[in-house]
Amino acid sequence: MFNSLNRQWPIFLSSLTLACLTFIACSSTQAQTPAASTPYPVKPIKLIAPVAAGGGLDNLARKVAERLSKNLGQTIVVENIGGGGGTIAAQTIAKASPDGYTLMISYVATHGTNPAVRKLPYDAIKDFTPIGMIGATPNTLIINPDLPVKNLKEFVEYTKKNPAKLSYGSAGPGTLTHLGVEQFKLASNIFMVHIPYRGIGPAFTDLLAGQTQVMLPTLYAAMPYLKSNRVRALAVTGQKRSIADPSIPTFKELGYNGFDGQQWYGVSGPANLPDHVVKKLNLELNKVLATPEFAEQMASEAMTLMPMSPQQFESYIKEDIARWVKVAKDRNIEIE
């Protein structure tokens, strides 16, 4: 009998070991499964617009929220948190719970120019989860039509012959309308005096009045003045001409490479969002961008839709920050 048990003991141990390993494997799978299988979303989502109510970005946030909520089957509430060029809103998101119920419209200021020129209370890469790009509006170099130039080449020549005679307005220090012109000054070896304003509206007022001569606003903001011939466009940023006004050549066409900076918009969340939440949001956001009605609306506002994967959007953000970091260092620009 002892010999019989002795012979069966290894078989028993092998069976016991196999059972234990199977139990551990099943337990591990079960521990990982709930996160991936948890329904999302099951309650309303908050989408933060990093500006005060009204204006282009707020309008975009509400259009995206309306369509995305239909796709997700949950209400998306837009909350406006202005101040600090989007810094306050971005800081709010960075500290939010990573559950997918607090998101933001990230854009060129919060995740592009601000990180390049300001000491921020957040890290634009480490503290966020990129979900997807929405699209971008090119910026256009415009001048007061009283200047005796018709194109970019003539403008550069005229500026070199009249050093310090011209000034350009911006929406404020460290904004895209500031850094973009500084980038062009470096590339063309010209000099102009920078006149910062508190927003793009006052900058337009002085340009139209001839107090300043040059600006680099978004094409959408410039379109009403272009149509009424109150300003003249010389070039647009981006890889190709805008469908909103294909008569304006790109900087690239005119011999200036690297002028790809645009007023871009996307959707981000706090760091460490679950993968299944990110995939769900990216999928449904890209469905919104593929809607003909939405695409037509955005085209009328000079925006080119740019659907991306989360990984592509993250790469875009890193490249944009690197672009403006270089300009800021080259021009010694740092905003307190």
Side-chain angles (χ1 to χ4, degrees):
M1 180 177 179
F2 175 79
N3 290 336
S4 176
L5 287 173
N6 193 43
R7 287 194 299 271
Q8 293 177 9
W9 185 249
I11 299 175
F12 173 74
L13 287 177
S14 298
S15 300
L16 180 60
T17 300
L18 179 61
C20 289
L21 290 174
T22 302
F23 175 77
I24 292 171
C26 290
S27 298
S28 176
T29 301
Q30 288 173 357
Q32 296 175 6
T33 301
S37 62
T38 299
Y40 173 85
V42 295
K43 62 180 182 179
I45 298 169
K46 182 192 298 181
L47 178 63
I48 292 178
V51 293
L57 195 157
D58 178 53
N59 183 48
L60 174 65
R62 295 180 187 281
K63 288 179 178 178
V64 170
E66 178 186 359
R67 289 162 177 77
L68 192 57
S69 66
K70 291 180 181 178
N71 288 4
L72 293 171
Q74 279 291 344
T75 300
I76 298 181
V77 179
V78 175
E79 179 179 332
N80 298 89
I81 302 180
T87 299
I88 298 175
Q91 186 177 11
T92 300
I93 286 293
K95 294 180 178 180
S97 174
D99 55 11
Y101 292 98
T102 306
L103 311 172
M104 77 173 291
I105 298 292
S106 48
Y107 74 120
V108 67
T110 58
H111 290 72
T113 55
N114 278 351
V117 300
R118 301 177 187 273
K119 293 180 180 178
L120 300 172
Y122 64 86
D123 186 303
I125 301 298
K126 296 179 181 178
D127 292 339
F128 298 87
T129 300
I131 293 169
M133 175 72 100
I134 298 172
T137 301
N139 283 59
T140 179
L141 188 68
I142 60 174
I143 60 172
N144 184 295
D146 289 340
L147 280 182
V149 300
K150 301 296 183 183
N151 54 52
L152 192 64
K153 181 180 179 181
E154 291 181 3
F155 172 75
V156 171
E157 292 173 351
Y158 178 84
T159 307
K160 287 182 177 180
K161 292 177 181 178
N162 298 272
K165 184 177 180 179
L166 302 185
S167 60
Y168 75 94
S170 76
T175 63
L176 182 60
T177 55
H178 174 205
L179 297 182
V181 177
E182 291 300 317
Q183 182 187 26
F184 182 65
K185 286 168 62 178
L186 277 169
S188 58
N189 194 29
I190 61 174
F191 178 79
M192 292 184 287
V193 177
H194 175 217
I195 309 295
Y197 293 84
R198 293 177 64 86
I200 202 68
F204 262 113
T205 298
D206 274 7
L207 176 70
L208 298 174
Q211 299 299 315
T212 59
Q213 294 76 40
V214 186
M215 273 183 65
L216 188 73
T218 64
L219 177 56
Y220 179 65
M223 282 173 61
Y225 306 105
L226 289 170
K227 290 179 179 178
S228 60
N229 296 316
R230 299 177 70 188
V231 299
R232 180 178 298 136
L234 302 180
V236 293
T237 60
Q239 289 291 320
K240 58 184 180 181
R241 298 191 182 199
S242 172
I243 58 175
D245 191 339
S247 68
I248 308 173
T250 64
F251 280 95
K252 185 176 181 179
E253 287 179 65
L254 301 174
Y256 294 92
N257 292 317
F259 284 77
D260 302 328
Q262 303 184 86
Q263 186 80 11
W264 59 263
Y265 308 90
V267 179
S268 299
N272 302 315
L273 281 184
D275 287 344
H276 74 285
V277 171
V278 176
K279 290 178 181 179
K280 177 71 172 180
L281 288 169
N282 179 264
L283 175 65
E284 299 305 334
L285 175 62
N286 286 340
K287 286 181 181 178
V288 170
L289 304 187
T291 305
E293 179 190 1
F294 184 75
E296 186 177 342
Q297 281 186 334
M298 295 299 100
S300 69
E301 299 179 11
M303 180 180 290
T304 299
L305 299 181
M306 301 168 66
M308 295 182 183
S309 69
Q311 294 75 24
Q312 290 172 327
F313 185 34
E314 181 177 19
S315 295
Y316 185 95
I317 292 172
K318 289 180 178 178
E319 290 171 6
D320 206 49
I321 292 174
R323 180 202 323 280
W324 302 123
V325 164
K326 183 180 186 309
V327 173
K329 286 184 177 179
D330 289 342
R331 305 303 288 178
N332 195 29
I333 299 171
E334 185 174 349
I335 312 301
E336 295 296 332

